[in-house]
């Protein structure tokens, strides 16, 4: 809990250290390492992002966010084909993994409509959730692209517009 509070308050260095300390506990290895991988991404240390994602996935192999973080790390390290392959595997296992679906479209330069057309109940809220997962990992460009696409394809809530403005800042 302390690590999440520190993360939310923006004390990233203290959160990173606290997540590491918490990761000794078998029941929090995966979530702790997922947050650590996000911080690695925000620091542009994609080697560590990959390593910590793999550690999280060794404990919880189908952790939805961390699977995508591993693909992001691969992509940012120049392993585009490995990233695309990972994202395809994620999508094949879970057709509703919207983070993997968005990243697949974005990284493979697939028509964005193939992502946005499948959002059903609340596209703005779904995209907001994904944008925050991306922003947590320092992927502001991807989060901006996601929300801009939302505005073009399905319309955007006021909160999504505010978040887009925040991301530009």
């Amino acid at each position: 809990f302390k690590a999440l509070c520190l993360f939310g308050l923006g004390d990233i260095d203290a959160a990173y250290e606290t997540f590491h300390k918490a990761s000794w506990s078998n029941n929090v290895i995966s979530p702790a390492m997922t947050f650590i991988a996000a911080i690695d991404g925000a620091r542009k240390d994609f080697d560590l992002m990959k390593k910590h994602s793999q550690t999280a996935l060794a404990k919880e192999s189908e952790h939805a966010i961390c699977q995508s973080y591993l693909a992001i790390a691969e992509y940012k390290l120049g392993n585009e084909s490995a990233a695309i392959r990972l994202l395809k595997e994620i999508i094949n296992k879970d057709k509703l993994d919207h983070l993997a679906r968005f990243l697949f479209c974005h990284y493979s330069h697939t028509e964005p409509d193939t992502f946005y057309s499948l959002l059903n109940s609340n596209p703005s809220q779904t995209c907001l959730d994904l944008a925050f997962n991306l922003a947590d990992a320092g992927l502001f460009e991807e989060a901006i692209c996601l929300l801009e696409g939302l505005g073009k394809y399905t319309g955007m809530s006021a909160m999504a517009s505010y978040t887009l403005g925040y991301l530009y800042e």
Side-chain angles (χ1 to χ4, degrees):
F1 180 73
K2 179 181 178 183
L4 288 172
C5 290
L6 292 166
F7 186 80
L9 292 170
D11 192 348
I12 301 304
D13 292 334
Y16 194 82
E17 192 63 35
T18 306
F19 279 123
H20 263 291
K21 288 177 183 174
S23 69
W24 69 267
S25 177
N26 209 21
N27 64 334
V28 296
I29 291 171
S30 186
M33 285 294 159
T34 299
F35 276 102
I36 289 168
I39 294 169
D40 294 330
R43 291 176 173 170
K44 307 295 184 220
D45 190 336
F46 298 109
D47 285 317
L48 276 179
M49 184 184 199
K50 179 179 176 178
K51 176 186 169 202
H52 290 132
S53 293
Q54 289 170 326
T55 301
L57 292 170
K59 183 64 181 164
E60 186 181 349
S61 65
E62 294 188 18
H63 189 288
I65 296 168
C66 207
Q67 290 180 93
S68 292
Y69 282 175
L70 177 58
I72 290 165
E74 290 286 10
Y75 186 84
K76 297 294 185 175
L77 289 168
N79 304 324
E80 186 174 326
S81 61
I84 299 298
R85 181 182 46 74
L86 282 168
L87 292 166
K88 281 182 182 178
E89 289 173 11
I90 297 165
I91 295 165
N92 284 337
K93 285 188 255 177
D94 182 359
K95 304 273 188 253
L96 294 178
D97 189 321
H98 297 306
L99 182 57
R101 285 182 42 261
F102 169 74
L103 290 168
F104 177 79
C105 286
H106 187 69
Y107 290 159
S108 67
H109 310 289
T110 303
E111 180 60 37
D113 189 46
T114 61
F115 168 73
Y116 295 102
S117 66
L118 295 176
L119 298 177
N120 288 323
S121 62
N122 191 338
S124 275
Q125 187 59 51
T126 299
C127 288
L128 274 171
D129 293 342
L130 301 179
F132 287 119
N133 291 144
L134 293 166
D136 283 348
L139 302 167
F140 298 106
E141 183 179 312
E142 287 89 340
I144 288 168
C145 181
L146 170 71
L147 292 178
E148 284 179 344
L150 173 68
K152 290 177 189 172
Y153 289 94
T154 64
M156 192 180 320
S157 68
M159 185 52 94
S161 294
Y162 297 143
T163 302
L164 182 59
Y166 164 76
L167 292 168
Y168 273 118
E169 274 301 304

